[in-house]
Amino acid sequence: MTRSPRSRANVVFWPYGLPATHLRSLARAGLLLLSARILVLGGGLVSAAQAAPLPFAITSLRAGDTVLIGSSPVAGTGQPGQSIDVTLDGAASPIGYATVNDDGSWNANVFVRASAVGPHTLTATTEGTPAESTQVAVVVSATATSQRLVVTSPADHARVPSRTVTFTGTAPAGSRVLPSGDELGAVAEIAVGSAGTWSFTATFPVLSQNAVLTSTEVTFGGPDSDGTVFVPRLVTVALPAAAPAPVIVSPAAGATVATPAGSHVSVSGTATGGPAVAVFFLPVDAAAKAYANQQPGSIEATGIVVAGGAWTATTPLAPGVWTADAELLSAADAHASTTQILSLPSAARQFTLVAGAAVPPSSAPTPTPSASASPSDPTATGTATSGELAFTGSSPALPVAAGVLLLLAGFALVFLRRRARVRS
């Protein structure tokens, strides 16, 4: 009997609520990361180590940090299901509550009154018996000047002049700042240099969840150089109106475009306010839908906006009835994660694509008359006036002349015979 081959895999456990980049931070804070080896025999699980329990701790604050008056976030770790009360100086009335998530993380929004400005001890305590407790010395303040992570611009709830926004701030040298938001997508951490400043630029789309995006929220967080986690900073900005939608000039509405099957089709137009245009093609009839269903994704093309605002986008397309609309882009690479749509769609343009190389009637070549022919001569033009048969190529003059001669000969013959009868 042969033994089934064994496969091995290494598994690392960590709190799912924290980015993987924070693993080192947790390790420095004394949290144990357990590397387990899973042994599989013939597909069956033999053994697997479990993640070590996370200690009850406040992870978002360190001694001397500032807590703003009003609402502020406090985060930590504990055992799933634990209920937590957060207090200042052990007061009987909690300033915040939390429940530990399945991944061992918890988050509480604490509310601090303006009368509490000054130094305090912030304490988190689990409910039940035996109770666990952890605390940190903080300073309650009405300003953010003593915070480790600060967003200096734009101000919270400011109206920005462009949908491309640059955020700036300060943080300890060697720390990392991580922006996050619903419209940002995947964003890399920002390394804070020796000057203790950082900046981040993002372009926000016009549409979000099929609605016009008029404002957006961006949260800045991340780990400090000593491994502790910053208190997140939330900034809300009001965005300007969308850029003007591009205009499709060609093909004309309802036009029939002739092209060899499978060739490239071009759509052109004008645009302002962005470097590129994305054109999206939607099938209308059965032939176009059959072609679209065979494609791995949406049918689209990108056109670069040149000086003067003109653009042209080209893509392979099959015969059928199609509609096209265009949207302004923030960058020429339409598939980059940072590229955003800056305008609402243009007016849809429907056209029919047919196979062949037919020339539109307006541009059909005109036959060149011969040098010896008169413009009114049917032998030169090969045309017929209204109500007449088309000219076939031979002149009617010859048969008419022959008929006249034959008729005259007949009259002469009859006349001679009559004279012969009179004489006799």
Side-chain angles (χ1 to χ4, degrees):
M1 181 184 68
T2 58
R3 181 169 298 180
S4 301
R6 299 188 296 177
S7 58
R8 299 179 183 271
N10 291 324
V11 177
V12 177
F13 298 90
W14 70 86
Y16 298 140
L18 297 175
T21 51
H22 296 173
L23 295 180
R24 185 174 62 179
S25 302
L26 293 174
R28 288 180 177 178
L31 303 183
L32 177 62
L33 301 177
L34 178 61
S35 175
R37 185 175 297 271
I38 296 177
L39 178 64
V40 180
L41 293 175
L45 181 64
V46 175
S47 64
Q50 299 297 320
L54 296 172
F56 183 59
I58 298 173
T59 59
S60 61
L61 296 170
R62 66 178 180 181
D65 276 355
T66 296
V67 175
L68 291 179
I69 61 174
S71 181
S72 294
V74 176
T77 58
Q79 296 305 302
Q82 286 180 315
S83 296
I84 298 170
D85 296 337
V86 181
T87 60
L88 273 185
D89 301 325
S93 299
I95 60 173
Y97 304 90
T99 300
V100 181
N101 302 315
D102 291 340
D103 61 8
S105 66
W106 58 267
N107 293 273
N109 285 319
V110 300
F111 185 83
V112 182
R113 298 181 181 277
S115 58
V117 170
H120 293 276
T121 299
L122 187 142
T123 303
T125 306
T126 62
E127 297 179 0
T129 305
E132 293 185 85
S133 181
T134 182
Q135 60 186 29
V136 60
V138 296
V139 176
V140 175
S141 173
T143 64
T145 54
S146 59
Q147 293 176 346
R148 289 181 293 147
L149 173 61
V150 178
V151 179
T152 55
S153 68
D156 191 23
H157 292 93
R159 179 170 293 278
V160 293
S162 170
R163 285 185 172 264
T164 298
V165 183
T166 298
F167 298 85
T168 62
T170 60
S175 62
R176 299 187 301 280
V177 177
L178 179 62
S180 61
D182 292 340
E183 285 78 37
L184 291 184
V187 179
E189 283 186 333
I190 305 165
V192 181
S194 58
T197 59
W198 57 267
S199 67
F200 168 71
T201 300
T203 299
F204 297 97
V206 172
L207 295 176
S208 178
Q209 305 296 325
N210 295 322
V212 176
L213 185 67
T214 58
S215 65
T216 189
E217 295 180 345
V218 180
T219 300
F220 295 90
D224 199 345
S225 56
D226 65 356
T228 57
V229 180
F230 290 133
V231 174
R233 304 302 173 198
L234 177 66
V235 178
T236 301
V237 293
L239 299 170
V247 176
I248 296 178
V249 176
S250 177
T256 297
V257 181
T259 178
S263 70
H264 287 69
V265 175
S266 294
V267 175
S268 60
T270 59
T272 57
V277 167
V279 180
F280 299 89
F281 297 86
L282 297 177
V284 176
D285 66 352
K289 291 178 180 178
Y291 175 80
N293 289 337
Q294 297 174 358
Q295 308 310 307
S298 61
I299 303 175
E300 59 188 77
T302 304
I304 304 300
V305 179
V306 299
W311 56 266
T312 298
T314 303
T315 188
L317 213 59
V321 181
W322 298 87
T323 60
D325 62 58
E327 298 174 349
L328 197 66
L329 298 180
S330 64
D333 186 356
H335 299 286
S337 61
T338 56
T339 299
Q340 302 287 0
I341 295 175
L342 301 180
S343 74
L344 294 173
S346 68
R349 181 65 57 88
Q350 181 170 308
F351 61 95
T352 301
L353 195 62
V354 298
V359 179
S362 60
S363 60
T366 302
T368 303
S370 62
S372 60
S374 169
S376 60
D377 186 353
T379 61
T381 61
T383 60
T385 59
S386 176
E388 296 180 335
L389 295 175
F391 177 62
T392 60
S394 61
S395 174
L398 292 177
V400 170
V404 172
L405 292 176
L406 183 60
L407 182 61
L408 292 176
F411 281 126
L413 181 59
V414 171
F415 177 75
L416 292 175
R417 286 181 177 177
R418 285 181 178 177
R419 289 189 61 183
R421 290 176 181 175
V422 172
R423 289 179 179 179
S424 61

